[in-house]
Structures are given as structure tokens and as C-alpha cells.
Amino acid sequence: MTTHALETSKNAAEAGTGLTVLRYLDLLVLALALPLFVLAGLPLLGYAAAAAAWLVQRAINALATRKAHASEDPRAVVGLLAGSMIGRGYLVAGSIFAVGLAGAREDGLAAAILSITLFTIYFSAQMVVRPFDQPSPRR
Amino acid sequence: MKTRTKALLAFGGLVVLAVIVNLLVPSEGKNEEFQPQNEFKLDPWIPLELGPFDMSINKAVLYLVLACALTSAAMLYIANRMQGRPNRVQTAVEAAYDLARNQISGSNMDSRMSLKWFPFVGTLFFFILFSNMIGYVPLPTNSEHTFSLFGLELPSFAIYAATANLSIPLMLTLMVWFAYHAEGVKAHGFVGYLKGWIPAGTPNRLKPVLFVIEVISQFVRIVSLSVRLFANILAGHLLILFMGGGLVVLLGLAALGVFTLPLAIIFFMFEIVLIAGLQAFIFATLTSIYLGAATAEGH
């Protein structure tokens, strides 16, 4: 194996690890937020609600994306992706709303801030990762 | 099940949900405290006044710096990793580069002008694109509303874009406006360039009128080019803000959120997928058209 090939393979492996970290960065931050909530004395009910809603919406997203990739009907693909997007929005917003009503307003606020932070991280990471996920055109 | 039945069921479900939300949180009446226009207010973070000029660092400056840094970093990253057999990211960037070079610059200017001005037009395209895109990422920039963490008062999350502030599109437009006039004068001479504003074959008595109209149209370009970008991005942000909760807070009517939330998501996707790129494309294309027209032989 040539030096160039070794170097290229090393770069590809590093890029692959970096992309995997980026792909799941929101989940990493969600895990790291727990000690922060405990140390800062922030409402744990807010954390629990936001974390549960975020994990469920991530699972729904993965399921809908997999089904959309498997489908060959463009209408079904659009329906699945748009439906899951709106449904996930309701899920997260509903959780924040519900925890704000069931607990104190601070619980709702903490859940809202955590959800928006996770969305910012997820959305920014997706912008970087997405081009790597596109199928490359044949040359 | 028919599509119509599905739509009716979904709407019925939303109405039931809205009624439940209304029972849980009855209307609180209008909220006078929330001022939506303040979402776009520029509070000076680091006050900096140079004589009559307010050069304070505020969130618009932060977004500008972010857009510049991201544009430069992304292009340098790709340029340093160009390969004979491109990977997926390089393919995507090459497609955008081709769009800027062939569709935006190449098709609106002759080859000499295109070669000279492509770096400027391409940079405008990518800068506006990046600026618009990061405008949809919620960042902790709203210093009017804060939240507390470890005793620190941190700004709330908000969406904002440098291009949603008229000053930025206006400065970009002025650069374009002066550049194409300078190219026109260089190509045809001052008098020749002004003469070129009147179409060939115009009767002498109509020439002054047409010249005045053309002068007005040249100045209107400053307004149209800058306001088009500014208004589109601002309108998108306002729609997302109001549908995503602003209207609910303003009217104190939580049940309304059941109907506006999906609209917010739809507008958000519409802005990211279509408007952010389209506005960058339009601005860069019009720049090329103006530069090309100013130096064209038949001008």
C-alpha cells in the first residue's frame, strides 16, 4: 500500500468518526445536560419531559426516513416526511406545554430551552452532515 | 380511506385538541408586554461610537461575522481537499460552483467580464446563501429576554439574519451599483455610457424624457435589489415568529397554537429549502445582468 493510499484511508476514517459524532451530537449534549441540570439545580421534570420527547421524536424521524427511503412513490415519501415533521413538532411542543401545566412554569421553561438547544445542535449538524448522506452521482 | 376523509378527520382532531387546550388554558386576553418588533431590535452589546457613526457590536454584527467565517471556512476546507475523484461534499460544492460560474456569471456577461467578475459574484452568492441559512438556526442572541444558568443571565434563543437588516443588503447593493456603473464608464466613456441609456432610434424630442426615466430606474435598482432580499428574509422570519408562538402570546390564546404550529413548521421548511437559496441566486444573477448590460456592445 502506498503512503498516499495510507494517508487517504486515514483521512477517510477520521472524517467518518467526525461525521458519526456530528450525527449524534444532540444525543451527546442531551446526556451531558443531565449533570448540568443536577449541578445547577434546574427543574429535573423539565429535563425528563424534554429528553423523553426528543428521544421519541428522533426515533420517529429515523423510522419515517427509513420508510421514505424504502418507498418508490414520491407522494408517499413527501407525505411521510412532512407528516413526521409536523407530528414531531406537535410532540415536542405538546411535551413542553404539558410539563408547564402539570409542574411549575419553570419546568416548562427548562424543557423549552433544552429542546431549542437540542434543535439548534441537531439542525446545525445536519447542515454539515447532509451533503455526505446524498448519493454521489456516477461519473 | 379517501384523502378527503383523512383531511376532515385530521381537521376534526385539531379542533378537538384546540378545545381541550382552551379548557386547560383559557384565554388570558391580549398581551401588552410582548413586542414582536423587539425581536429585530439591535441592542449594542459592545458600545462603539466613532463621531456620528454608531459602530457598536450587536447581533447583526455577530451574524455577519458568522456568515463570513462559515463561507470562508467551507470554501477553504473544500479547496484544500479537492480530489480527482470527488467525494460527495466536493460534488455538491462543485455543483454550486458550476451554478455560480456558468448559470449566474457566464450566461449574463461576456467571457472577459465573466472571468473578471466571477469571484465577486460567486462570493456574493455564497455569502448571501450562508447568511440566509444561518438565519434559521436558533441562537442565544435575544438579549432582551434572558434565562438564568449558574447565576449567569444568558440571552434567549432567537432566529435572526444579517440580511433581515436593511443595512446589509443595502451595502451589498451599493457595491454592485457603483461597480457596474464604473465598468460601464470604463467600457464606453462617461458620455457614451449615458448615451447608451437611451434606446437607439428614439426621436430627439423623446430623448430627454427617456433619459430622466432611465436615471430614475437606475436609482430604483438600489431600492429593488436591496429591499427584495431584506423584505423576503424579514417576512420569512416574521411568519415563523408569529406562527411559532408569537401570535399565541400576543393574543393570549393558547388554543390557537394548535393551528399555527404546523404552519410554522411548513414556513420554516419553505424558507430553508426555497427562499434562502433563491434570494441568493436572484441577487447574484441581477448583479451579473447589471454588469453585463453596462458593458455590452449594443449598450
Side-chain angles (χ1 to χ4, degrees):
Chain A
M1 203 184 277
T2 63
T3 320
H4 174 72
L6 277 169
E7 196 66 28
T8 311
S9 142
K10 191 179 144 201
N11 287 346
E14 278 173 7
T17 314
L19 284 178
T20 307
V21 171
L22 268 180
R23 215 166 260 136
Y24 299 105
L25 190 61
D26 56 323
L27 300 182
L28 189 70
V29 171
L30 181 60
L32 291 175
L34 182 57
L36 187 82
F37 264 69
V38 174
L39 286 174
L42 294 170
L44 283 173
L45 184 61
Y47 176 86
W54 189 259
L55 291 173
V56 172
Q57 73 83 25
R58 270 288 238 150
I60 293 171
N61 185 26
L63 196 70
T65 310
R66 200 185 312 152
K67 278 198 165 186
H69 281 174
S71 172
E72 286 179 3
D73 178 10
R75 284 176 64 186
V77 171
V78 172
L80 268 169
L81 295 179
S84 102
M85 210 178 289
I86 292 171
R88 288 184 289 132
Y90 269 125
L91 177 70
V92 174
S95 310
I96 295 167
F97 188 69
V99 80
L101 281 179
R105 283 183 82 94
E106 284 69 32
D107 293 311
L109 181 67
I113 290 169
L114 182 59
S115 300
I116 295 172
T117 308
L118 293 172
F119 175 75
T120 295
I121 292 161
Y122 173 76
F123 184 57
S124 310
Q126 279 297 306
M127 279 194 197
V128 178
V129 170
R130 188 149 289 227
F132 290 92
D133 289 338
Q134 308 274 322
S136 60
R138 288 177 190 182
R139 293 209 164 193
Chain B
M1 198 188 289
K2 282 182 182 174
T3 312
R4 197 179 157 188
T5 318
K6 280 183 193 171
L8 280 172
L9 275 175
F11 185 72
L14 286 183
V15 172
V16 171
L17 192 62
V19 171
I20 294 169
V21 171
N22 200 42
L23 287 173
L24 288 170
V25 187
S27 172
E28 294 169 358
K30 279 187 181 175
N31 185 330
E32 304 290 339
E33 271 181 52
F34 177 56
Q35 303 288 323
Q37 67 272 25
N38 286 356
E39 297 292 312
F40 298 90
K41 202 173 85 179
L42 295 174
D43 290 323
W45 290 346
I46 303 172
L48 200 64
E49 294 205 2
L50 295 176
F53 301 106
D54 184 5
M55 309 285 280
S56 303
I57 306 295
N58 51 39
K59 68 177 169 187
V61 178
L62 172 77
Y63 274 85
L64 259 187
V65 172
L66 275 178
C68 290
L70 278 176
T71 310
S72 310
M75 292 302 137
L76 284 172
Y77 178 84
I78 301 297
N80 289 334
R81 284 164 180 76
M82 294 293 260
Q83 296 163 9
R85 194 178 169 198
N87 59 23
R88 287 164 184 172
V89 181
Q90 189 179 322
T91 307
V93 174
E94 279 182 5
Y97 183 89
D98 274 354
L99 175 81
R101 195 181 64 177
N102 299 330
Q103 302 300 316
I104 299 176
S105 285
S107 62
N108 295 306
M109 290 185 268
D110 62 41
S111 54
R112 187 189 62 84
M113 278 290 286
S114 176
L115 198 67
K116 182 178 177 184
W117 284 97
F118 164 65
F120 175 70
V121 174
T123 306
L124 266 183
F125 174 70
F126 284 110
F127 171 73
I128 296 172
L129 180 67
F130 273 83
S131 189
N132 291 348
M133 289 301 282
I134 57 168
Y136 297 109
V137 181
L139 294 176
T141 53
N142 186 343
S143 44
E144 188 170 305
H145 304 285
T146 56
F147 65 93
S148 185
L149 186 65
F150 290 114
L152 285 173
E153 289 298 317
L154 299 174
S156 293
F157 281 83
I159 54 169
Y160 182 79
T163 41
N165 181 320
L166 183 59
S167 312
I168 312 300
L170 185 62
M171 281 315 294
L172 297 176
T173 301
L174 285 175
M175 277 199 294
V176 170
W177 197 79
F178 282 112
Y180 83 77
H181 283 310
E183 278 291 346
V185 170
K186 199 172 148 191
H188 304 289
F190 185 69
V191 178
Y193 179 59
L194 293 184
K195 272 185 181 171
W197 287 4
I198 302 163
T202 306
N204 279 342
R205 60 199 163 89
L206 279 180
K207 279 182 180 174
V209 182
L210 278 182
F211 184 76
V212 171
I213 292 171
E214 188 59 32
V215 169
I216 294 169
S217 89
Q218 293 293 334
F219 280 96
V220 166
R221 281 180 181 183
I222 299 177
V223 180
S224 66
L225 195 58
S226 56
V227 171
R228 183 185 297 108
L229 176 60
F230 155 71
N232 269 287
I233 302 302
L234 181 71
H237 279 73
L238 281 173
L239 278 172
I240 295 166
L241 168 72
F242 279 110
M243 296 299 127
L247 208 56
V248 169
V249 176
L250 260 182
L251 301 176
L253 199 61
L256 192 63
V258 172
F259 298 102
T260 59
L261 183 71
L263 292 175
I265 295 167
I266 291 165
F267 283 133
F268 188 78
M269 291 314 295
F270 177 73
E271 290 289 320
I272 289 168
V273 173
L274 194 66
I275 303 298
L278 189 65
Q279 286 308 315
F281 178 79
I282 290 173
F283 196 99
T285 303
L286 284 172
T287 299
S288 296
I289 290 172
Y290 294 159
L291 280 164
T295 52
E297 279 305 316
H299 183 88

